[in-house]
């Protein structure tokens, strides 16, 4: 199934996409007494029984609950996820990004080349071997989730907004001490993530060593839909693209992941467990930013992230 959260009568509702995403079946309206359709999180938490009931409604297509997909306001599939971890499942991008950040920091020196060599020799801009050994991540603010077609405004005093092309897996059930071979079965589905960054603020904050902070926490976009795992036979063979105003700037593939979502779930389950509805984001695919392409986003730019079998996530930069 291809599931969405949309806004109607002032509250979030759960829908299933039909007819090549042109029609929405309002699951909340089709079964108003069923608690599993009160929110996307409730549907995920209801487990196989809730998903089976949703599949029955999709097959029945009750006409009173069908809506034109263009007539509703789409929201993030999980507007308020219980937890979001942005991981370094792709590591190739990180190495290139660190070198570019070092080069930018060195640019203000009297001898930029010497300053760059000194920064790289210090090790802070070289990818640590631990990134290849285990899944490293940072926690994303779940209160700052945005959705498809939302306008994205950079934080105050930021001048260089950037997109990041990422895929995310949503955990389908609670678990702890999950065996690596079983971890893939804990994935409910997949969505697209735009992990927006304020590059100029990020570069300043990196010099302090305290983390990304406001350069990341102002917005993380999920959408346009949540595609159940059965609809994605091989999540590690998906083409990923990013366009700005229709021009393709990024092209990558989930095949280039260093770590899998299953590895992340197995690792996270050993400390504190994983929970239904939590979002595990891949990190950025190689070439997956404007930073990589030497392109700065401008007010009014339209950013589109597209991933095979999921769709296209579109946002506009605030004027």
């Amino acid at each position: 199934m291809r599931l969405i959260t949309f806004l109607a009568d002032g509250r979030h509702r759960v829908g299933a996409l039909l007819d090549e995403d042109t029609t929405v079946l309002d699951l909340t309206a089709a079964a108003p007494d069923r608690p599993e359709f009160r929110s996307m999180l409730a549907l995920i938490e209801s487990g196989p029984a809730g998903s089976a009931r949703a599949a029955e409604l999709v097959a029945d297509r009750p006409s009173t609950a069908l809506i034109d997909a263009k007539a509703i306001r789409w929201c993030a599939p999980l507007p308020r996820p219980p937890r979001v971890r942005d991981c370094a499942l792709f590591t190739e991008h990180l190495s290139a990004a660190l070198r570019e950040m070092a080069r930018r920091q060195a640019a203000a020196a009297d001898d930029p080349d010497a300053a760059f060599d000194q920064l790289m020799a210090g090790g802070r801009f070289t990818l640590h071997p631990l990134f290849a050994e285990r899944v490293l991540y940072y926690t994303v603010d779940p209160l700052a989730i945005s959705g498809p077609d939302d306008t994205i405004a950079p934080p105050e005093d930021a001048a260089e907004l950037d997109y990041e092309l990422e895929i995310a897996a949503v955990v389908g059930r609670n678990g702890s001490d999950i065996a690596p071979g079983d971890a893939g079965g804990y994935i409910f589905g997949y969505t697209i993530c735009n992990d927006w960054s304020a590059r100029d603020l990020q570069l300043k904050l990196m010099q302090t060593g305290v983390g990304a902070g406001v350069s990341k926490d102002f917005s993380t976009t999920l959408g346009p839909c949540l595609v159940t795992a059965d609809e994605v036979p091989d999540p590690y063979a998906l083409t990923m693209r990013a366009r700005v105003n229709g021009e393709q700037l990024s092209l990558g593939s989930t095949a280039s992941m260093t770590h899998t979502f299953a590895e992340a779930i197995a690792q996270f389950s050993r400390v504190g467990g994983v929970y239904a509805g939590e979002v595990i984001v891949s990190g950025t695919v190689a070439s997956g930013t404007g930073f990589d392409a030497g392109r700065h986003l401008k007010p009014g730019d339209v950013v589109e992230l597209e991933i095979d079998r999921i769709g296209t996530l579109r946002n506009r930069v605030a004027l």
Side-chain angles (χ1 to χ4, degrees):
M1 290 180 289
R2 299 172 60 80
L3 302 169
I4 67 167
T5 293
F6 65 98
L7 198 62
D9 301 325
R11 70 185 185 95
H12 290 128
R13 304 170 77 91
V14 181
L17 294 171
L18 307 173
D19 306 329
E20 297 184 348
D21 295 355
T22 62
T23 304
V24 174
L25 172 61
D26 184 343
L27 294 170
T28 306
D33 297 329
R34 298 296 292 253
E36 59 265 43
F37 301 133
R38 291 176 183 169
S39 70
M40 187 70 75
L41 182 58
L43 175 56
I44 295 169
E45 291 177 334
S46 69
S51 294
R53 178 55 179 153
E56 290 173 2
L57 289 170
V58 167
D60 292 342
R61 294 177 59 105
S63 59
T64 56
L66 296 179
I67 308 170
D68 184 341
K70 294 181 179 179
I72 57 174
R73 177 72 177 88
W74 293 36
C75 304
L78 277 162
R80 190 69 62 83
R83 179 161 56 195
V84 184
R85 305 190 225 212
D86 201 325
C87 305
L89 303 186
F90 294 103
T91 57
E92 184 180 355
H93 164 77
L94 289 172
S95 294
L98 285 170
R99 289 183 63 85
E100 179 59 23
M101 287 181 177
R103 195 171 299 281
R104 288 193 179 198
Q105 188 170 319
D110 293 335
D111 186 343
D113 290 339
F116 173 77
D117 291 341
Q118 185 176 3
L119 287 172
M120 295 304 298
R124 192 157 58 91
F125 292 92
T126 302
L127 196 66
H128 195 283
L130 195 58
F131 278 91
E133 297 172 14
R134 59 187 293 114
V135 178
L136 302 183
Y137 71 94
Y138 64 88
T139 301
V140 174
D141 184 357
L143 303 180
I145 300 298
S146 50
D149 293 315
D150 282 350
T151 298
I152 307 301
E156 186 177 0
D157 299 328
E160 190 179 342
L161 183 64
D162 198 6
Y163 67 85
E164 297 199 18
L165 173 57
E166 310 190 11
I167 184 173
V170 176
V171 176
R173 53 195 169 110
N174 300 350
S176 59
D177 295 319
I178 301 168
D182 297 332
Y186 281 74
I187 297 174
F188 179 85
Y190 302 93
T191 191
I192 301 172
C193 176
N194 192 333
D195 176 32
W196 300 93
S197 295
R199 294 295 181 202
D200 48 337
L201 293 183
Q202 185 181 36
L203 187 59
K204 292 177 183 177
L205 290 169
M206 281 191 65
Q207 297 178 54
T208 70
V210 299
V214 70
S215 72
K216 284 284 190 182
D217 284 347
F218 61 96
S219 185
T220 299
T221 308
L222 300 176
C225 58
L226 175 56
V227 182
T228 53
D230 60 295
E231 300 275 351
V232 186
D234 187 356
Y236 307 108
L238 305 177
T239 299
M240 307 170 71
R241 305 174 183 86
R243 295 182 292 272
V244 176
N245 301 329
E247 178 188 357
Q248 182 171 294
L249 298 183
S250 303
L251 177 64
S253 172
T254 56
S256 63
M257 283 186 178
T258 302
H259 306 286
T260 66
F261 286 115
E263 290 173 320
I265 289 171
Q267 177 186 310
F268 299 158
S269 75
R270 294 195 291 271
V271 181
V274 294
Y275 293 89
E278 75 168 277
V279 180
I280 298 175
V281 185
S282 65
T284 310
V285 67
S287 87
T289 72
F291 186 80
D292 295 312
R295 175 74 169 266
H296 296 176
L297 294 178
K298 304 183 302 296
D301 280 350
V302 175
V303 179
E304 295 176 302
L305 306 187
E306 179 184 355
I307 299 180
D308 287 353
R309 293 188 173 270
I310 301 176
T312 300
L313 178 61
R314 183 180 299 102
N315 296 96
R316 184 181 296 274
V317 178
L319 294 171

